Amino acid sequence: MTESMEVEKDELKKRTLTAWEKVQIARDNDRAYTQDYINHIFDQFMKLHGDRLFRDDGSIVGGIASVDGQFVTVIGQQKGRNLKENEKRNFGMPYPEGYRKALRLMKQAEKFNRPIICFIDTPGAYCGMDAEERGQGEAIARNLYEMAGIKVPILSIVIGEGGSGGALALGVANEVWMLENATYSILSPEGFASILWKDSKRAGEAAECMKITAHELKELGIVEQVINEEEPITNINCQGVCDCLREKIIDFLKKYRGKTKEEIVEERYQRFRKY
Amino acid sequence: MLFRTQGRKSKKIIENYHRQQLTEGLFQKCEACNQIVYTEDVIEKKHVCPNCGHYFRVTPMERLGMVLDSGSFEEWDKDLKTKNPLDFPEYEKKIARMQQNTGLSEAVVTGKGKIGGIETAIGVMSANFMMGSMGMIVGEKITRMVERATQKGLPVILFCCSGGARMQEGMMSLMQMAKTSQALKHHSDTGQLYISVLTDPTTGGVTASFAMLGDLILAEPKALIGFAGPRVIEQTIHQKLPEGFQSAEFLLEHGMIDKIVSRKKMRKVLYFLLQSSGYHANGKGEEKNG
Ligand SMILES: [Zn+2]
Ligand SMILES: [Zn+2]
C-alpha cells in the first residue's frame, strides 16, 4: 500500500463513506477474502474439491470446518490477489462447475447434519462462452431451487462484492449478513449507468441510487445484520472483525440448534417470500 | 397482381398502398425476410412468417389463444400495483406508459386454463412490456400462480421471455429469482409437473431461475436463450460469438433443454406431456375407467 493510499484510508475512517467509495473498498485488492475469514474464524478447516461432473473451479472454495466444537460446511467465492492467483481464482467469478461444487457440498452438509456458512464475494458469475455452454443459468437456478429445500440452517455473509445472481447462488439462506463496506447489487453501478443512462461514467451516481450498501439493504429487509468495520477490513487487519463474527456465528448456530428441519425450511421460505 | 405494376410512380403508389394496409393491419412486413405478408396468413400459421418461417413475437393473449381450449382462461392477480423500491425517477410514469401501450398491467399474465380439457396453471411473459424484465410484480404473480397450483394440485406451464432483471427495482428484483425458485421447489416436492417453454429471448435472471427449472424444458426454434447476453459475452472474451451461439438449437445440442417444439405443434406436445405425467381432464389421478 502506498503512503498516499494510507492517508486516504485514514481519512475514510473519519466520515461516512459514499456508496461509490464503498464499491471501491469492496473491490480493493487488500480486502479480506473468503480464505482469510476461514483462517481467522474456524478452528479447523479441510478443503474439498470438485463438482464430480467436469472439474474443480478455483473461484469457489469449500470444505468442512469446525467452530466452538461444532462442525459446519463452509463455502465461498475466492478472489486472487494478483494475476497469477487469478488464473486459478478467475477474480472470484465462478463457472457453472463452481456452483455445482457448492451445491454438492451443501447436499453433503445436509446429509451429515452440518449447518452451512457461505461467504459471498464475487463481481458476478463468469460471462464467457464456455460458462454459457455448460449452463451458467441452469447452475445458478439449481442452487436457488435446491437451497430452498436444504434442511440444515444456512448463513450467508456478504464480505466484499455481492454481484447479482452469481452472489445469490450462495445466498438463499436463513439469514444474510453484510460487512459494513460490502455491496450487494443487481449489477455493477457501471452496468446500471450504461443500461439506464447510456453512460457508464455515471457509475458513481448510479451507486448512490441503487441501494447497494449494507445499511440501505438492512433497511430494505434484504439483510438481517450489518457487521461493523472500524476501518475497511483487509487481510492484515481482519482479526478483530473475525473475532466478532466468530461470536455471532456461534450464536447463530445455537439459535438454530433448537429448530426442527421443517422450521428451518419454512423460515427460509418465508424470508424470501416477503419480497 | 397489384404488386406487379412497374415504373417509379406506380412503385410509389404501391408503397403508399402498403403503408396504408400495414397500418390497417391487413398486411404486415416480416422483420426477417422483409416480405409483405397477409396478416391473416400469419395468424393462421400461428404467427410464423408464411414466406421464411420466422417466428413473430406474440402477445400473451395470442399465446394463450394458441395453446388453451378456447374460452378456458381465467386470469389471476391482474391488478397488482408496481412498486418503486429505489424511488427511481420517472419509473411510475414509464410503467403507466407501458401499460397504455401494451394493454397489459405487467410483463407477465398468469392464470389457469385447459388444454384438451386438462386444467393447468399457466403464465406467459411479454417481451413488449419493458423487455419482459423481472421486477417485484412479475415475481409475485409467478409465485402466487405456483403456490396456487401447489394448493390445487395443478401443473404449471410457463412461457418465458425476458431481457433479465428489472434494473429500476434494484435488489428487490434480484430477490424475485429466489422467491420464484423456492415456490417451484415446493410445487415439485408435492409431485406436481412444471413445464417451462423458452421463447425469444430468455436471458439473465429469468434464465438463472425459473426458466431452467422445468421438469421439462421446451423451446421455440431459434429462440435466443442464455444467462449473459451476447454483447456482454463479447465484451468479456473480446471476440465475436459464432453464428447460432445461445440459440435453442445450441442449447439442445449442449444438453440444456429437452426439446425444440414448433408453434404449430406446441399445444399437442403440451397435451401429451400433461397426459403422460398423470393429469387428466378431471384432475390428477382421477381418471375414470371406460
Ligand atoms: Zn460447444
Ligand atoms: Zn419472413
Side-chain angles (χ1 to χ4, degrees):
Chain A
M1 208 176 345
T2 64
E3 203 170 310
S4 72
M5 273 178 76
E6 204 76 68
V7 173
E8 227 173 83
K9 283 195 173 163
D10 279 345
E11 227 171 87
L12 290 183
K13 267 185 262 172
K14 288 173 202 140
R15 58 179 175 81
T16 321
L17 302 172
T18 66
W20 183 237
E21 283 167 337
K22 290 189 177 188
V23 169
Q24 309 307 320
I25 291 171
R27 292 175 181 171
D28 198 300
N29 243 349
D30 294 331
R31 185 113 185 129
Y33 294 155
T34 291
Q35 192 67 58
D36 300 311
Y37 287 88
I38 293 175
N39 295 345
H40 286 91
I41 292 172
F42 301 100
D43 306 320
Q44 309 172 74
F45 178 61
M46 183 182 286
K47 204 183 276 180
L48 302 170
H49 295 274
D51 66 344
R52 300 289 189 275
L53 296 163
F54 186 69
R55 66 165 192 137
D56 184 44
D57 184 353
S59 63
I60 288 192
V61 294
I64 303 169
S66 73
V67 59
D68 195 32
Q70 178 159 9
F71 288 108
V72 294
T73 284
V74 177
I75 303 163
Q77 287 111 351
Q78 177 67 40
K79 293 179 175 177
R81 284 203 197 279
N82 50 48
L83 270 177
K84 181 88 189 69
E85 279 181 30
N86 274 320
E87 274 173 29
K88 184 173 171 188
R89 305 299 181 195
N90 198 35
F91 305 90
M93 297 185 287
Y95 281 81
E97 51 269 26
Y99 293 115
R100 289 174 185 140
K101 167 165 81 176
L103 184 56
R104 183 178 76 79
L105 295 179
M106 288 190 232
K107 290 281 196 181
Q108 183 193 78
E110 180 183 41
K111 179 172 176 186
F112 299 104
N113 207 23
R114 289 190 294 266
I116 299 164
I117 299 169
C118 295
F119 292 98
I120 294 175
D121 188 15
T122 178
Y126 185 60
C127 293
M129 278 175 73
D130 36 4
E132 289 290 322
E133 283 183 322
R134 299 200 284 275
Q136 188 69 288
E138 194 277 341
I140 295 171
R142 188 64 51 197
N143 277 22
L144 307 182
Y145 184 84
E146 294 296 344
M147 284 178 91
I150 295 272
K151 295 181 182 70
V152 292
I154 305 175
L155 167 65
S156 294
I157 310 172
V158 187
I159 55 171
E161 289 182 274
S164 197
L168 183 64
L170 297 184
V172 184
N174 292 76
E175 288 187 25
V176 180
W177 302 348
M178 251 178 109
L179 272 286
E180 188 181 344
N181 294 317
T183 58
Y184 197 0
S185 63
I186 186 76
L187 84 171
S188 70
E190 290 89 341
F192 187 93
S194 92
I195 288 174
L196 287 179
W197 302 324
K198 313 275 171 250
D199 183 4
S200 62
K201 288 190 198 73
R202 289 172 70 186
E205 196 183 326
E208 302 309 320
C209 90
M210 288 170 73
K211 298 192 182 163
I212 59 176
T213 65
H215 288 291
E216 287 169 308
L217 291 172
K218 178 144 193 284
E219 220 162 282
L220 271 182
I222 305 275
V223 303
E224 275 81 11
Q225 281 202 45
V226 179
I227 311 298
N228 189 36
E229 295 177 47
E230 277 298 314
E231 54 185 323
I233 185 169
T234 68
N235 55 329
I236 309 291
N237 72 9
C238 61
Q239 189 64 57
V241 169
C242 286
D243 287 345
C244 155
L245 264 176
R246 184 187 155 94
E247 290 313 307
K248 285 177 183 288
I249 287 171
I250 291 169
D251 286 347
F252 172 88
L253 296 173
K254 251 183 225 146
K255 175 172 152 194
Y256 280 86
R257 212 166 291 151
K259 294 187 196 276
T260 66
K261 292 175 177 181
E262 291 69 32
E263 282 170 335
I264 290 167
V265 172
E266 181 60 18
E267 285 178 17
R268 197 184 304 124
Y269 190 90
Q270 293 309 330
R271 185 192 186 278
F272 285 90
R273 183 65 188 86
K274 68 179 188 270
Y275 299 123
Chain B
M1 224 190 319
L2 248 169
F3 309 109
R4 228 175 287 147
T5 334
Q6 280 170 7
R8 206 171 245 179
K9 196 169 182 186
S10 45
K11 223 174 181 175
K12 191 100 196 164
I13 294 169
I14 291 166
E15 270 174 24
N16 285 338
Y17 175 76
H18 276 166
R19 201 163 299 134
Q20 190 190 339
Q21 295 299 307
L22 281 169
T23 50
E24 284 174 14
L26 259 173
F27 293 91
Q28 63 189 75
K29 192 172 169 182
C30 170
E31 66 235 23
C33 68
N34 281 322
Q35 281 279 321
I36 307 291
V37 290
Y38 273 109
T39 298
E40 203 176 294
D41 288 351
V42 171
I43 292 171
E44 204 214 355
K45 290 218 178 300
K46 311 249 183 218
H47 303 269
V48 175
C49 173
N51 185 53
C52 74
H54 172 69
Y55 275 47
F56 293 106
R57 287 195 180 151
V58 293
T59 66
M61 287 307 163
E62 283 167 341
R63 178 76 69 184
L64 291 166
M66 287 192 282
V67 297
L68 292 182
D69 299 351
S70 72
S72 70
F73 185 64
E74 175 194 312
E75 188 169 357
W76 290 340
D77 305 305
K78 190 176 164 51
D79 294 315
L80 300 184
K81 235 176 112 43
T82 308
K83 291 173 192 152
N84 189 359
L86 300 188
D87 299 315
F88 194 80
E90 308 277 297
Y91 183 48
E92 282 99 344
K93 260 190 215 161
K94 179 152 193 169
I95 292 288
R97 204 163 55 232
M98 281 287 153
Q99 289 171 333
Q100 208 162 30
N101 291 348
T102 61
L104 299 169
S105 59
E106 251 291 356
V108 68
V109 172
T110 58
K112 67 168 184 173
K114 286 179 179 168
I115 297 177
I118 302 176
E119 198 167 60
T120 181
I122 187 165
V124 184
M125 301 184 77
S126 167
N128 293 331
F129 197 102
M130 295 189 73
M131 267 319 293
S133 57
M134 175 154 66
M136 295 166 78
I137 300 303
V138 170
E140 183 64 22
K141 285 178 84 167
I142 289 172
T143 302
R144 287 191 189 188
M145 167 180 74
V146 173
E147 286 179 339
R148 216 164 284 169
T150 305
Q151 279 161 19
K152 291 177 189 279
L154 293 177
V156 170
I157 298 170
L158 186 45
F159 284 84
C160 302
C161 169
S162 177
R166 181 77 54 87
M167 303 300 162
Q168 291 90 340
E169 296 184 21
M171 281 295 288
M172 294 307 276
S173 165
L174 191 73
M175 292 300 118
Q176 305 310 312
M177 291 167 63
K179 187 169 88 177
T180 52
S181 298
Q182 66 174 15
L184 284 166
K185 170 77 170 128
H186 281 207
H187 180 254
S188 178
D189 286 345
T190 61
Q192 301 299 335
L193 168 72
Y194 166 41
I195 303 174
S196 59
V197 187
L198 314 184
T199 69
D200 187 65
T202 299
T203 61
V206 165
T207 301
S209 60
F210 53 82
M212 296 309 291
L213 292 173
D215 294 296
L216 294 147
I217 306 179
L218 310 178
E220 285 201 322
K222 295 197 176 122
L224 174 84
I225 304 157
F227 171 61
R231 239 171 310 154
V232 174
I233 301 171
E234 288 183 345
Q235 280 164 14
T236 306
I237 62 172
H238 307 292
Q239 66 185 77
K240 271 212 105 30
L241 290 176
E243 184 82 23
F245 189 76
Q246 297 183 309
S247 65
E249 292 72 12
F250 176 91
L251 268 85
L252 184 73
E253 191 188 311
H254 284 83
M256 293 298 154
I257 59 177
D258 285 284
K259 208 172 178 51
I260 294 175
V261 180
S262 71
R263 262 181 207 170
K264 206 174 134 202
K265 294 202 176 132
M266 186 62 75
R267 180 176 146 88
K268 268 198 181 142
V269 167
L270 290 173
Y271 178 70
F272 175 82
L273 294 176
L274 290 171
Q275 208 187 24
S276 59
S277 302
Y279 295 94
H280 307 282
N282 336 301
K284 191 167 182 167
E286 292 173 43
E287 190 183 22
K288 281 180 194 157
N289 293 319

